[in-house]
Amino acid sequence: MSTTSLPTPDRAAALRTALLAAGFTADGLLDLLGAPAYAALARSETVPALRAARSHGDGPLASLVRLFLLQSPVPYAHAAAALPVEDALADGWLRREAADGEDTVRATVDVRPYGGPDGEDWFIVSDLGCAVGGAGGIGSREEGVVLGVGGASTTLAGITVRVPVGSALDLGTGSGLQALHAAQHATRVTATDVNPRALEFTRLTLALSGAPEAELLAGSLFEPVGDATYDLIVSNPPFVISPGARLTYRDGGMGGDDLCRTLVQQAGAHLNPGGYAQFLGNWQHVEGEDWHDRVRSWVPRGCDAWIVQRDVQDVTQYAELWLRDGGDHRTDPAEYARRYEDWLDEFEARGTKAVGFGWITLRRTAAAEPSIVVEEWPHSVEQPLGDAVLAHFARQDYLREHDDAALLAGYFQLTEEVVQEQVGAPGAEDPEHVVLRQHRGMRRATKVDTVGAGFAGVCDGSLSAGRILDAIAQLVEEDPVVLRDRTPEAIRMLVEQGFLDPVPGPAAR
């Protein structure tokens, strides 16, 4: 594990002021570099950004880009024009060195501007070259390396429920992105990590972003917090299913998907009533076993759950992804082949044919029959999805509390930005089928029959479901009793998937 000393956050407020004054923000970088170079950084390609920085001379913002994003040496005088350089040297953010006889400084950590959800200017601090878009990419062979912001981090931040809470736990905090988000709506934030260096990076991220301090605890899973309970738990854990635990940030050290299973199973005991736990995870697809049943078995008692599989990779794709992530493709070819064999041996021994990736959300409930929804949705979605998560569980509550008779007596409204598509051969008198499609949130699409399409189109909250069906029965010359009997299942589906929203009846408005 790296033993490199890290900066002290004691004067982070003054450094933050200097960074902001220089325009070292997400918007400032986009303006300086331009969209193509800015996008290239996210692909770990630094040449366009180097060229863009050169074209802007030696101004403060260009110097900060060279220092913290490109990890290049900068003349002392140029750094001094951008920030309080002597304080930054004394506090360990920079180190001084001579390069070709010139007095220069280098950054000791990666400092990455990050735009908060409400326009906040934040900074994520991580190991050099270990942020997505860093000069060296995210690949590192150091066991205790701490990464910056990646796609998994931003995905979890986007799906997290954002309501005011008394307490939040960021389990496996890494460089502190989830703790930083939680600090905006939680009175008390606790961040844990098995890697003590990660806790120090979280401290730096919070301080440099102007966020309140968090309680920082070292240890694995829920061990550091004892019996404490929380209103919100989030975790982007080391979920990679690998042969051994080489890299702390990704390899959980348990066999197969046991770490994710253990994390989910233990979370229920640490949630306050109504509290949410949200995780990213991997799970095995095992020969002779339905993956839905596998992850469903992880859900702890007393919790509703919504589990969404976003992607599946066969074991060869999965092994190659993480071998490249660890830089193994840059080693001796024979060594790479040996490690590849180790991954495939591990999967073969466990009967694993593929690996799924997705989101897991738990909600503590007192319901006698918890709602557990396990589904596959690999299509594009609209982030952030925190409000969509809240709406999902609200709809589950409604459906759980309303039998078919109550459903027919209820009032519904077509969700905003749902459109109807008719699919069929050109010139055909009637469509082969009708599709309802969402343009917000999960962006679902579902086939409905003509009755379902007509029902959804009429739902504006003014008539009960039963009265709408009676009117449709008259139009299509069908027995209204038969239509009322067979339609509640379709209404439930439309409500569950977010095409229809329950609303109060006219008398209650």
Side-chain angles (χ1 to χ4, degrees):
M1 182 176 292
S2 174
T3 57
T4 306
S5 60
L6 297 179
T8 170
D10 294 346
R11 286 180 284 196
L15 178 58
R16 171 180 171 78
T17 298
L19 297 178
L20 294 177
F24 191 62
T25 65
D27 289 341
L29 292 184
L30 184 59
D31 290 341
L32 178 82
L33 301 177
Y38 189 76
L41 269 181
R43 302 190 300 270
S44 298
E45 296 291 348
T46 58
V47 172
L50 283 166
R51 291 170 62 89
R54 278 201 304 268
S55 72
H56 285 82
D58 300 314
L61 180 54
S63 295
L64 293 173
V65 168
R66 294 189 185 94
L67 271 175
F68 292 116
L69 270 64
L70 304 175
Q71 285 102 53
S72 301
V74 169
Y76 177 94
H78 296 165
L83 46 76
V85 68
E86 285 299 323
D87 287 349
L89 286 164
D91 291 347
W93 296 92
L94 305 176
R95 71 173 187 272
R96 202 165 187 170
E97 60 182 33
D100 299 326
E102 186 176 21
D103 188 14
T104 65
V105 296
R106 278 185 180 271
T108 62
V109 291
D110 186 299
V111 176
R112 185 95 8 180
Y114 182 89
D118 295 316
E120 302 94 340
D121 290 314
W122 292 342
F123 300 96
I124 310 301
V125 188
S126 65
D127 272 315
L128 287 171
C130 292
V132 171
I138 66 171
S140 174
R141 300 178 69 82
E142 283 198 60
E143 177 189 349
V145 68
V146 177
L147 300 190
V149 178
S153 305
T154 55
T155 294
L156 179 59
I159 67 172
T160 299
V161 169
R162 301 296 177 194
V163 294
V165 294
S167 57
L169 170 64
D170 175 13
L171 192 153
T173 185
S175 54
L177 176 63
Q178 311 307 326
L180 179 56
H181 274 280
Q184 312 309 305
H185 63 103
T187 303
R188 175 173 59 88
V189 176
T190 299
T192 71
D193 206 287
V194 71
N195 182 1
R197 292 185 75 248
L199 299 177
E200 293 307 311
F201 274 112
T202 293
R203 191 189 310 276
L204 295 172
T205 289
L206 293 173
L208 198 57
S209 299
E213 293 184 7
E215 178 186 31
L216 304 175
L217 303 174
S220 178
L221 295 173
F222 290 100
E223 179 270 329
V225 302
D227 297 328
T229 58
Y230 301 88
D231 301 312
L232 174 67
I233 300 171
V234 293
S235 182
N236 177 19
F239 53 69
V240 177
I241 300 171
S242 59
R246 293 174 54 216
L247 299 172
T248 305
Y249 72 85
R250 71 171 202 193
D251 302 323
M254 295 185 182
D257 51 18
D258 283 355
L259 183 130
C260 287
R261 174 183 56 79
T262 302
L263 176 62
V264 174
Q265 288 179 337
Q266 292 182 356
H270 294 275
L271 280 177
N272 291 326
Y276 286 86
Q278 299 186 266
F279 316 109
L280 302 184
N282 274 170
W283 40 82
Q284 296 165 232
H285 285 224
V286 177
E287 274 309 334
E289 177 186 74
D290 188 325
W291 73 267
H292 296 80
D293 296 336
R294 185 180 190 87
V295 294
R296 187 186 300 273
S297 72
W298 295 358
V299 178
R301 290 184 178 180
C303 287
D304 293 325
W306 185 21
I307 301 173
V308 182
Q309 180 168 276
R310 296 285 292 150
D311 190 25
V312 182
Q313 291 183 310
D314 69 50
V315 292
T316 60
Q317 293 174 309
Y318 189 81
E320 291 162 13
L321 169 67
W322 294 110
L323 285 166
R324 286 181 172 82
D325 172 81
D328 293 293
H329 62 302
R330 296 192 294 269
T331 63
D332 175 72
E335 176 69 9
Y336 174 79
R338 185 187 67 78
R339 291 195 180 277
Y340 201 146
E341 290 272 10
D342 289 343
W343 283 73
L344 296 186
D345 287 345
E346 174 77 6
F347 289 131
E348 185 177 347
R350 296 181 178 276
T352 304
K353 58 182 180 178
V355 177
F357 167 80
W359 317 326
I360 299 174
T361 299
L362 306 177
R363 182 185 63 167
R364 192 73 184 174
T365 180
E369 295 185 13
S371 162
I372 301 177
V373 176
V374 182
E375 63 175 320
E376 186 165 15
W377 188 253
H379 311 293
S380 65
V381 299
E382 181 191 46
Q383 287 276 34
L385 278 170
D387 287 345
V389 172
L390 286 172
H392 168 87
F393 286 99
R395 292 193 297 268
Q396 294 301 314
D397 287 341
Y398 178 89
L399 294 173
R400 186 161 45 198
E401 294 163 3
H402 289 72
D403 60 16
D404 286 356
L407 207 63
L408 292 173
Y411 293 78
F412 302 93
Q413 188 166 5
L414 189 65
T415 307
E416 290 184 4
E417 297 196 37
V418 171
V419 298
Q420 175 180 304
E421 301 172 359
Q422 297 188 168
V423 181
E429 183 175 344
D430 296 314
E432 293 177 16
H433 57 262
V434 177
V435 174
L436 298 181
R437 188 178 301 278
Q438 301 168 351
H439 285 275
R440 303 297 300 273
M442 292 293 287
R443 293 177 174 165
R444 296 186 188 275
T446 189
K447 291 182 182 179
V448 292
D449 60 17
T450 53
V451 171
F455 178 85
V458 174
C459 282
D460 61 3
S462 62
L463 296 173
S464 69
R467 290 189 62 188
I468 292 174
L469 289 177
D470 290 344
I472 291 175
Q474 187 173 3
L475 285 173
V476 299
E477 298 181 347
E478 185 171 338
D479 185 338
V481 176
V482 173
L483 194 59
R484 278 175 171 257
D485 186 58
R486 69 177 176 86
T487 305
E489 182 178 353
I491 297 175
R492 286 186 182 279
M493 182 274 292
L494 291 173
V495 172
E496 181 175 59
Q497 295 192 1
F499 290 94
L500 295 177
D501 290 326
V503 295
R509 295 175 199 163

